[in-house]
Amino acid sequence: MVVKTQGAGMAQLERRIECVKYTLFCFSAVMWMLGTGMFGLSIWLRVEPGFQEWVDFLQIGEFYIGIDVLIFASVLVTVVSFFGCASALLENKLALLINIGLQGLSFLFGLAGSAVLLDYSTYDSQIQPLIRKSMTNLIVNSQHEHVSVILRMVQENIGCCGADGPTDYLNLLKPLPTECRDTVTGNAFFHGCVEELTWFLEARAGWLAGLALALCMVHVVQAVLSLILIQAIKKEEDNATFKR
């Protein structure tokens, strides 16, 4: 009767191991898809020609720091996802322990990249003083042709005026340019380019940061499942040893 009970317990443990193993495999596949999506979105934001020109003109290259970290994180994720699949299918405890470490490393890079990206793209973040400084410099030097072209391009495309509003031109004793006015009503744009550009950057960075944070959650799940699988495999080995 005891042998029969032990046999039923071993069968139940094996079913649990199979369940955790294939769940871990499925999560690794999901992680690979999310990592690939994050890589594609990061590359698009990093090399988009028109957007890259604006970043260069306004000297806000700090916006790219978080994206660069997330590009590295996405490459790491695609590698780790394959390793996670292999370690789960092989049921190797050492490989699963390494997988837990790699999941933790990927989690840290994803979290750090998201934090830096949001710190240089959202409202009241560190990107706003940089935009304000660049816009003020452009207004001060707007008498130069190449500077006025950049200023006109930014204000017309974004629909903004000055750094914080039309009063910037008055304070700097500069005439209000035509691109600061709405072509329909003729009124000056109320919002400055600092706010408008921040909202523009925030809309783009929000998707990428959200995807990276979703991946961070998957890394936590992967690490927990790997730990559960290790414990189950260890228990199976102990039961096999006791049976002998």
Side-chain angles (χ1 to χ4, degrees), residues 68-87:
D68 291 338
V69 175
L70 290 179
I71 289 174
F72 175 79
S74 61
V75 173
L76 182 63
V77 164
T78 55
V79 175
V80 170
S81 60
F82 282 112
F83 187 83
C85 289
S87 62

Side-chain angles (χ1 to χ4, degrees), residues 30-49:
V30 171
M31 186 173 69
W32 181 85
M33 289 187 287
L34 290 176
T36 304
M38 186 169 75
F39 178 77
L41 186 57
S42 300
I43 293 295
W44 175 67
L45 285 175
R46 190 66 178 82
V47 302
E48 187 186 3

Side-chain angles (χ1 to χ4, degrees), residues 78-143:
T78 55
V79 175
V80 170
S81 60
F82 282 112
F83 187 83
C85 289
S87 62
L89 294 176
L90 292 173
E91 297 183 20
N92 185 286
K93 289 188 292 183
L94 178 60
L96 287 167
L97 281 171
I98 295 173
N99 183 52
I100 292 174
L102 291 174
Q103 297 295 338
L105 184 65
S106 299
F107 174 86
L108 290 176
F109 273 107
L111 192 63
S114 301
V116 175
L117 180 60
L118 292 175
D119 196 33
Y120 282 102
S121 64
T122 55
Y123 196 81
D124 284 336
S125 67
Q126 295 191 55
I127 200 69
Q128 287 193 310
L130 299 177
I131 298 174
R132 184 174 289 108
K133 181 181 177 181
S134 296
M135 285 299 300
T136 302
N137 288 335
L138 289 173
I139 295 170
V140 169
N141 298 291
S142 58
Q143 68 272 16

Side-chain angles (χ1 to χ4, degrees), residues 81-243:
S81 60
F82 282 112
F83 187 83
C85 289
S87 62
L89 294 176
L90 292 173
E91 297 183 20
N92 185 286
K93 289 188 292 183
L94 178 60
L96 287 167
L97 281 171
I98 295 173
N99 183 52
I100 292 174
L102 291 174
Q103 297 295 338
L105 184 65
S106 299
F107 174 86
L108 290 176
F109 273 107
L111 192 63
S114 301
V116 175
L117 180 60
L118 292 175
D119 196 33
Y120 282 102
S121 64
T122 55
Y123 196 81
D124 284 336
S125 67
Q126 295 191 55
I127 200 69
Q128 287 193 310
L130 299 177
I131 298 174
R132 184 174 289 108
K133 181 181 177 181
S134 296
M135 285 299 300
T136 302
N137 288 335
L138 289 173
I139 295 170
V140 169
N141 298 291
S142 58
Q143 68 272 16
H144 302 293
E145 181 62 28
H146 69 284
V147 175
S148 64
V149 169
I150 296 171
L151 195 58
R152 187 184 309 116
M153 181 186 69
V154 172
Q155 293 179 146
E156 283 182 347
N157 291 328
I158 297 295
C160 58
C161 184
D164 296 301
T167 54
D168 289 338
Y169 283 93
L170 300 177
N171 294 334
L172 294 170
L173 304 177
K174 295 284 184 177
L176 193 68
T178 55
E179 61 266 19
C180 266
R181 298 184 181 277
D182 190 299
T183 54
V184 177
T185 63
N187 297 325
F189 292 119
F190 178 76
H191 292 290
C193 292
V194 173
E195 286 190 349
E196 293 289 347
L197 280 167
T198 304
W199 293 331
F200 179 74
L201 294 175
E202 188 175 317
R204 287 170 167 254
W207 286 98
L208 182 56
L211 186 56
L213 292 175
L215 261 172
C216 287
M217 183 182 68
V218 175
H219 291 316
V220 174
V221 175
Q222 284 277 82
V224 172
L225 287 174
S226 297
L227 186 59
I228 292 172
L229 186 55
I230 290 172
Q231 295 298 322
I233 293 170
K234 186 177 179 181
K235 186 176 181 180
E236 184 184 42
E237 290 175 350
D238 290 343
N239 288 342
T241 304
F242 178 76
K243 190 175 181 181

